[in-house]
Amino acid sequence: MQFPRSVLLHVFLRSFAIQGSWNYRTLQGSGFAFALLPALRYVHRDSRERLEEAVQRHTHLFNAHPYLSGVALGAVARLEADGVDPALIERFKNALRSSLGALGDRVVWAGWRPACLLLALVVLLVTESAAAAVLLFLVIYNSGHLALRWWGLRVGIEHGRHVGEQLRQAPLLRWHRQVVGAAMLLLGIALPLVVTGALTERRMSDAWVLVPLAGAAAGWPLGPAARLVALVIVAALTVAGFLIRLG
C-alpha cells in the first residue's frame, strides 16, 4: 500500500508534537499515536473498530530521539499497511526505540547542535553582530533538523521492518564524525578570539583570526597526526592571550 503524499505530510507535521503529551507512564506513547493517526486513518479507513484498536495499541510505552521518531513512525505505518500482526509490530517498536534514542543523542545532541553553536559563536566574535549569529544558528541548525526528520520518515515508510538494516548502512555516523571534526576546528578558531577579547579589542581580532585559520589549513591534511601539535599550539595561544589581557 502506497501512502498519499498528503498523509505523509500530516504525519511529518504531527511528529513535531510527539513530546507534547510526554508523561512518566508511556513517555512519548500518546504523542506517537497522535503523530501516526493520519496513517492509521488511511490504512483502516473501512473499519472504525480496527482504527480505534490500532490507536489504542500505539499509545503504549514508546521513547526515542524526537528528530528520529519519523523512522519509527514511517516503519510502523508501513507494517500496519502490510497487515503485520499487532504483537509483532509492538515488539518491533520496542526493539527500535532504544537504537533511535542512542543514535539521535550521538548525532544531534553531541554533534550537530554543538557544531552549530560554535559556528554562531565564531560569527559573533568576528562580526560583533548578535543578530547575524542567532540567524545563522537558526537557519543552519533547523535545516539539518528538518532534513533529518523528513529523511527518517521516508526511510521508515520505504523499508518497513528492514529499516534497521538501512540505519546501519546510512552515512549518519560518518557524517557525525565529520561534524565533530568541524566542531573541534570551530572551537580552535573561537578560543583565541575569546581570550584576546575580540569583542572589546577590535584591533586584535583581525590578526588573531589568521592564527587559527592558518592552523586549520595546516592540520586539515594531516588529520590525527597533528592533534598533539595542535593541542600544544592552542594551549600556548590561550596562555599568551591571558598574558596579553593582563598586560
Side-chain angles (χ1 to χ4, degrees):
M1 178 185 294
Q2 294 292 328
F3 288 95
R5 192 173 183 86
S6 60
V7 172
L8 297 183
L9 181 59
H10 280 96
V11 173
F12 174 73
L13 293 176
R14 282 171 173 246
S15 72
F16 287 85
I18 197 169
Q19 294 180 298
S21 57
W22 194 96
N23 60 84
Y24 286 105
R25 186 173 65 86
T26 65
L27 303 181
Q28 296 173 351
S30 300
F32 187 91
F34 172 78
L36 190 62
L37 185 55
L40 294 177
R41 283 174 175 163
Y42 183 77
V43 172
H44 302 295
R45 56 189 180 276
D46 297 328
S47 174
R48 184 172 183 82
E49 181 180 348
R50 289 201 302 270
L51 172 61
E52 292 178 352
E53 185 272 335
V55 172
Q56 180 63 33
R57 283 191 284 108
H58 290 300
T59 59
H60 295 169
L61 179 68
F62 181 80
N63 195 45
H65 193 282
Y67 294 3
L68 287 176
S69 62
V71 175
L73 289 168
V76 169
R78 174 69 179 272
L79 295 180
E80 290 282 354
D82 292 344
V84 175
D85 182 73
L88 180 60
I89 295 177
E90 191 64 25
R91 290 197 298 270
F92 174 82
K93 285 174 58 179
N94 291 336
L96 189 60
R97 67 188 187 191
S98 58
S99 299
L100 293 178
L103 181 61
D105 289 347
R106 183 175 181 183
V107 170
V108 180
W109 299 154
W112 183 241
R113 185 169 62 178
C116 292
L117 284 170
L118 285 167
L119 177 60
L121 176 61
V122 169
V123 171
L124 175 64
L125 292 170
V126 172
T127 67
E128 301 184 27
S129 172
V134 171
L135 181 62
L136 182 68
F137 172 80
L138 292 176
V139 170
I140 293 183
Y141 178 78
N142 285 299
S143 295
H145 159 217
L146 295 176
L148 184 60
R149 279 185 180 268
W150 182 250
W151 171 85
L153 180 61
R154 295 294 304 180
V155 166
I157 286 286
E158 291 174 7
H159 299 283
R161 71 178 69 189
H162 303 295
V163 73
E165 180 181 348
Q166 293 301 313
L167 287 176
R168 287 191 293 271
Q169 296 176 358
L172 285 180
L173 293 181
R174 184 173 68 250
W175 173 81
H176 167 70
R177 288 192 292 270
Q178 294 172 347
V179 169
V180 170
M184 294 171 65
L185 170 63
L186 290 167
L187 179 61
I189 293 175
L191 186 57
L193 297 177
V194 172
V195 298
T196 55
L199 288 174
T200 57
E201 299 179 30
R202 184 64 186 177
R203 59 186 177 81
M204 296 289 299
S205 63
D206 293 337
W208 278 81
V209 167
L210 298 178
V211 175
L213 290 179
W220 190 271
L222 298 177
R227 286 180 181 174
L228 180 59
V229 176
L231 179 61
V232 172
I233 293 175
V234 169
L237 290 175
T238 303
V239 173
F242 280 117
L243 292 176
I244 291 173
R245 296 196 67 180
L246 290 175

